[in-house]
Amino acid sequence: MREGISDYTKLTVDLRRHMWKAGVEIELRRLIWQIAVMGKYISAKIHESNRKLAGLKNIFGEEQLALDKSADEILKNQLQFSGFVREYASEEQDSVIQIGEGNEKYFITADPLDGSSLVETNLAIGTIIGIHKESMLAEGRNSLVAAMYITYGPLITMVYSAGKGTHEFVLNREGEYVLSEENITLKQRGDIYSLGGLRKDWTPEHRRYIEFLEKEGYKLRYSGGFVPDINQVLIKRGGIFTYPALVKSPKGKLRLLFELQPMAFIIEQAGGMATDGKQDILSIKVEDLNQRCPIYIGSRYEVEKAKEFLTSS
Ligand code: F6P
Ligand code: MN
């Protein structure tokens, strides 16, 4: 049940109190809180831009940065002074940037403003963050310890997981992130499907899978923004999002490090699954910052079914 977020006569749980009660390690909870605050600055930029993307002059005649670049600057500059971050890797940068002094505990990945082209149509967009305990391209299994995303829609919401469940907060009118859904748990099976890629470019295996979902009566829900599309699966407690391998782009479209692994972490913590069709998204080794990967993510039944269809020929 969603808690009332504007009835201040009742106890509301803010983000910091929630993380403290959940036993999230102190530096990690400070970092998550700082990033949530940066979401407010990014949102302010979106408002300032008045839904225009880039190449504009402001009232002083200065060229404005594209919104995704501004969001990247906000994150990079603020994280530099957080005291907890050694390296920053972002979709907007060519390489990993050393922003700390060398002894900080965490390494951050960011898709600063995913789906930014949707701003013109006033659809929701978002920021995706991964928090690692080792350098992003280090050897071994993926080193994510927490992941979060912020959705800029009719409301600003923030979803995080620090490995102790997945929780949603809503930014209230006082500028506080207030707990709205705790320990979100996906059903075994949902009833929506959200899919990218053109039908003419699908592989036969993927086409058979989608036809199966359609026969089963799944409803199509696709906005073209990865953050709200994943958020919909999470908040509706199930269903499937896929951006598959396409005949001309066998690696699909979405980026493993910046987009897929943080979302896989959040969805797995909510009892769901994420695969590229064969392997778990979180067990795929990141060899390159911009590595792309197909994805099937959501509730267990639909993801298991995807695996069945993709591995049968
Ligand atoms: O970051 C890429 C992105 O904009 C995602 O937000 C979204 O899921 C996807 O691309 C949409 O791609 P398409 O326009 O091919 O459906
Ligand atoms: Mn993106």
Side-chain angles (χ1 to χ4, degrees), residues 254-272:
L254 300 176
R255 289 179 168 86
L256 184 59
L257 182 66
F258 300 115
E259 296 169 314
L260 303 186
Q261 289 193 332
M263 290 307 199
F265 189 92
I266 288 169
I267 292 290
E268 279 194 9
Q269 282 290 320

Side-chain angles (χ1 to χ4, degrees), residues 91 111 114-115 196-197 222 224-227 229 241 243 253-254 259:
E91 266 201 33
D111 182 351
D114 178 79
Y222 187 69
F226 185 49
V227 178
D229 284 336
F241 174 93
Y243 207 111
K253 177 177 187 190
L254 300 176
E259 296 169 314

Side-chain angles (χ1 to χ4, degrees), residues 3 7 9 23 26 29 41 58 61 75 99 106 110 121 130 176 192 204 211 216 239-240 247 254 265 270:
E3 321 238 331
D7 184 354
T9 62
I26 184 161
R29 62 179 199 251
Y41 307 157
N58 66 13
L75 290 169
I99 57 172
Y106 295 112
T121 56
E176 298 154 341
I192 56 173
E211 284 169 358
E216 292 280 303
I240 183 92
V247 175
L254 300 176
F265 189 92

Side-chain angles (χ1 to χ4, degrees), residues 288-304:
D288 172 61
L289 288 182
N290 284 311
Q291 191 170 327
R292 293 169 198 264
C293 184
I295 186 161
Y296 296 81
I297 180 170
S299 36
R300 303 189 81 85
Y301 175 79
E302 290 84 345
V303 177
E304 292 286 9

Side-chain angles (χ1 to χ4, degrees), residues 224-257:
F226 185 49
V227 178
D229 284 336
I230 290 288
N231 192 54
Q232 175 156 233
V233 170
L234 183 76
I235 299 302
K236 297 285 186 192
R237 301 292 190 276
I240 183 92
F241 174 93
T242 168
Y243 207 111
L246 299 174
V247 175
K248 283 187 213 129
S249 45
K251 295 272 173 204
K253 177 177 187 190
L254 300 176
R255 289 179 168 86
L256 184 59
L257 182 66

Side-chain angles (χ1 to χ4, degrees), residues 37-58:
V37 171
M38 291 168 213
K40 299 192 222 174
Y41 307 157
I42 294 173
S43 163
K45 273 280 170 204
I46 298 169
H47 279 256
E48 234 173 68
S49 79
N50 197 15
R51 298 188 301 157
K52 297 289 179 295
L53 275 176
L56 290 173
K57 300 237 169 21
N58 66 13

